[in-house]
Amino acid sequence: MHKTLTFSDHLRLIDERSTAFRAAVAAAPSLDVPVPSCPGWTLFDLVQHVGMGRRKSAAIVAAGPADAPPERSAWEDGTGAPREREALLAWWTESVERLTSALREAGPDRGCWTWWGDSQSPQTSGAWARRQVPEIAVHTHDVQLTVGAPQPLPEEVALDGFDDCQFTLCSTDVAWPHEPAVVDYYATEGRSWRLRLSRDGAWAARLGAPAVSEDPDPDTADASARGTASDLVLFFYGRIPPDSLKLELDGDRRIFDQLIAWDPSV
């Protein structure tokens, strides 16, 4: 059995991945180097984007229950991030501190506005804390790749992160615009997931022994992907292409292309 991560675990992992992010930025030869996994962006662009995202998340959590996110002025003063490296690193540290302070003050159960209201994940500060971990982890990988030292996502980050990808980012009540399909994902660390796609939307379930599976229907999957949890997360975020040798894909591969192109918000 794999440990279910708690709110405290997510706060710890936010701190750990943010520290790794900072270290990778500090090791870069220049803030002007291009980021291979984010075409058109320099390292400075990436740091500013990720830092602003943490500030916005902090403002959303601090606002509590709401029908919309707070005004931009609540998390951005219009000046952007500083371009000098030491100042930028200090700005990054402050961005993360804003986030963790807001989360600690809120605790795991505060209601919050979210953009995933049609998913299987709750609209709470705890869900916001969980969402931060794979976001920062993947962007840490981006920076590491930029400096020529990419590392896989830590196992607990990747396993929990891919679970969050399925239940928060993939699940929706927006109709799937293609033929109904079932997609299975297998992490070599021993966890697996099923995504059902139909006119009712996308519905995620954790798979395992029949006695503990959350999916009551044993239908054979139309497509499946197998790899480490880290590679599954990086695949989901578009950092690993579908034809990568790091992944074992079976079944109808067109479904993965359809999933990549699908934007339920449109």
Side-chain angles (χ1 to χ4, degrees), residues 14-32:
I14 289 170
D15 182 66
E16 288 181 6
R17 289 300 87 203
S18 298
T19 299
F21 182 93
R22 189 185 194 283
V25 173
S30 166
L31 295 177
D32 295 324

Side-chain angles (χ1 to χ4, degrees), residues 6-262:
T6 65
F7 182 69
S8 294
D9 289 324
H10 291 132
L11 291 177
R12 169 178 57 83
L13 293 173
I14 289 170
D15 182 66
E16 288 181 6
R17 289 300 87 203
S18 298
T19 299
F21 182 93
R22 189 185 194 283
V25 173
S30 166
L31 295 177
D32 295 324
V33 294
V35 180
S37 48
C38 301
W41 280 13
T42 65
L43 182 56
F44 171 82
D45 296 330
L46 176 63
V47 177
Q48 177 167 245
H49 169 79
V50 185
M52 286 297 184
R54 296 331 100 201
R55 289 168 181 249
K56 182 176 181 179
S57 298
I60 290 170
V61 170
D67 295 328
E71 295 294 328
R72 194 178 188 93
S73 59
W75 50 274
E76 183 184 359
D77 60 10
T79 63
R83 288 191 169 271
E84 191 274 325
R85 189 192 301 255
E86 288 305 314
L88 180 65
L89 292 173
W91 178 87
W92 164 253
T93 299
E94 182 192 1
S95 301
V96 178
E97 287 175 349
R98 286 191 186 189
L99 172 64
T100 54
S101 293
L103 288 169
R104 288 191 178 95
E105 191 279 329
D109 300 320
R110 174 185 287 176
C112 298
W113 175 86
T114 72
W115 47 261
W116 57 81
D118 62 344
S119 81
Q120 293 166 252
S121 288
Q123 293 184 283
T124 62
S125 48
W128 271 107
R130 189 186 198 204
R131 184 88 287 278
Q132 304 305 303
V133 179
E135 288 284 324
I136 299 172
V138 170
H139 288 308
T140 298
H141 180 84
D142 290 333
V143 182
Q144 293 169 343
L145 182 66
T146 301
V147 300
Q151 300 175 20
L153 277 58
E155 181 176 312
E156 68 175 336
V157 170
L159 285 169
D160 189 71
F162 193 73
D163 191 86
D164 181 60
C165 286
Q166 295 305 295
F167 284 87
T168 304
L169 303 187
C170 276
S171 69
T172 177
D173 57 14
V174 176
W176 171 246
H178 306 286
E179 288 295 316
V182 175
V183 182
D184 285 352
Y185 296 96
Y186 300 96
T188 56
E189 294 87 350
R191 292 185 65 181
S192 53
W193 299 263
R194 169 161 289 181
L195 186 67
R196 290 188 171 277
L197 303 160
S198 71
R199 68 182 62 185
D200 295 323
W203 187 262
R206 300 177 186 95
L207 297 180
V212 299
S213 175
E214 295 181 0
D215 190 333
D217 191 335
D219 286 352
T220 301
D222 299 291
S224 66
R226 185 184 304 271
T228 66
S230 175
D231 286 342
L232 288 175
V233 173
L234 294 174
F235 170 58
F236 183 86
Y237 274 88
R239 270 54 175 186
I240 293 179
D243 58 356
S244 171
L245 296 178
K246 293 184 176 183
L247 295 172
E248 179 184 335
L249 301 185
D250 290 316
D252 187 350
R253 297 193 180 193
R254 293 176 302 171
I255 298 172
F256 292 113
D257 295 329
Q258 292 168 348
L259 274 168
I260 291 169
W262 187 37

